Each structure stands twice: as structure tokens, then as C-alpha cells.
Amino acid sequence: MNLRIFYRRLNEYYDGMKTYRAEWFLKDSLVEAKRQKHEEAVLIILNELGGFYRAMGRYSEAAPLFVDAICTLIWCVLPVTGDNARRQNRPRSST
């Protein structure tokens, strides 16, 4: 998943005040990122979708997404970035 393209498309929906399309795009992108096992994209999209719901006043839908984002960060993203990557002899993420 190319995150530059993701953000460009998301901004187009927001700039055009097409919030219903932004929600659809975020949900679809989350499914695709999970399918690709792209943990950093999953983290980013969970946060974006949670922020979207928060901005819409849909707090009960936002909160679980933020919890999922924290879990994704702790269990999937942090172990392969920074000092952890060097300790595990794994390449650092460049996203």
C-alpha cells in the first residue's frame, strides 16, 4: 500500500466535503492494509478512521479504533522499527 497515494485520495475527499466517501475509503483501505499485512498502514488508517469518527461525534465508534491502533503499534510496528530492528537484525521500516 502506497501511503502517499492513500493520503492524497483521502485529502481529495475531505477537500471536496465528501465525508461519506472518506468513510468508505478509510474502511476499504483498512481492509486492504490488513489483507496485505502492512502493519504501519493499518496503524495509520485506524488512527485516521478513529479521528474521522471523533470529528463526527461518533465517539463509541472511534474509541475501539484507537485501542486497536495502540495494540497494533505495540505488537506489530514497534518490534520492527528503530533499536528493536537492529537487535533483531531486521531491516528498518522506511514508511
Side-chain angles (χ1 to χ4, degrees):
M1 172 170 282
N2 185 317
L3 292 173
R4 274 194 183 135
I5 293 171
F6 165 79
Y7 277 120
R8 187 178 324 132
R9 287 190 63 197
L10 183 60
N11 286 340
E12 288 172 5
Y13 292 129
Y14 285 143
D15 290 345
M17 302 298 288
K18 297 176 182 171
T19 55
Y20 67 95
R21 286 191 181 171
E23 180 180 10
W24 169 84
F25 175 70
L26 287 164
K27 287 180 172 182
D28 190 52
S29 296
L30 182 58
V31 169
E32 183 62 20
K34 286 180 178 181
R35 187 188 67 73
Q36 293 178 9
K37 295 181 175 28
H38 192 308
E39 288 92 1
E40 289 177 75
V42 170
L43 171 64
I44 288 166
I45 297 165
L46 284 167
N47 188 57
E48 289 288 341
L49 186 56
F52 174 85
Y53 287 145
R54 182 195 52 78
M56 297 288 130
R58 295 163 61 181
Y59 306 114
S60 63
E61 293 171 85
L65 294 171
F66 291 131
V67 171
D68 286 352
I70 291 168
C71 291
T72 300
L73 177 64
I74 291 169
W75 295 106
C76 298
V77 176
L78 287 180
V80 296
T81 59
D83 290 334
N84 290 328
R86 283 189 284 282
R87 282 195 290 269
Q88 297 175 13
N89 294 322
R90 294 170 80 172
R92 293 180 90 173
S93 173
S94 62
T95 308

